[in-house]
Amino acid sequence: WRTPAGFFLSSAILGTLGMNLALPAPGWAVVGGLALTAEMGLALSAMSSVGVMAGQLRLALICLGLIGTLLTMILPQVFGSQLAIPIFGIVLVAEAIGRWQFYAQRLPNHF
């Protein structure tokens, strides 16, 4: 169940944060923040044995993305448009690390 949930959360996060780039609104940050929270819970409950440092980096990036979305929700007039691009970039890197971990676990020789 974790694989479909992870892919669904990844698309929800990147989709809502991407929409926040195109049409900035606090609602997109709320949905993205909720999805980031769910993904953090999923990542913590299934820590990968592949790339432990990469997993810790991914969790740190998810936390940074979550902090950024919280700032845009709490003070949208101050942080709304300035943080949209950095948040999306941080979360995109976190998702790329997550995909790398997912596919690296399926290889016969773990990294």
Side-chain angles (χ1 to χ4, degrees):
W1 69 270
R2 291 179 200 277
T3 301
F7 279 100
F8 176 74
L9 286 170
S10 179
S11 64
I13 292 165
L14 292 176
T16 56
L17 294 180
M19 285 301 296
N20 194 37
L21 286 174
L23 303 168
W28 294 120
V30 170
V31 176
L34 290 172
L36 275 170
T37 303
E39 186 172 42
M40 182 184 296
L42 186 67
L44 287 171
S45 68
M47 287 298 288
S48 174
S49 61
V50 176
V52 175
M53 293 283 287
Q56 292 172 347
L57 175 62
R58 180 175 180 233
L59 283 174
L61 291 172
I62 290 172
C63 286
L64 282 175
L66 190 56
I67 290 168
T69 56
L70 287 173
L71 284 173
T72 60
M73 285 186 283
I74 294 169
L75 299 168
Q77 65 276 16
V78 177
F79 294 110
S81 61
Q82 288 100 357
L83 288 181
I85 293 172
I87 291 170
F88 186 80
I90 287 169
V91 172
L92 184 63
V93 171
E95 294 301 320
I97 292 170
R99 292 306 120 231
W100 173 80
Q101 285 181 308
F102 174 79
Y103 290 113
Q105 280 183 330
R106 275 112 185 111
L107 294 175
N109 297 329
H110 289 105
F111 290 100

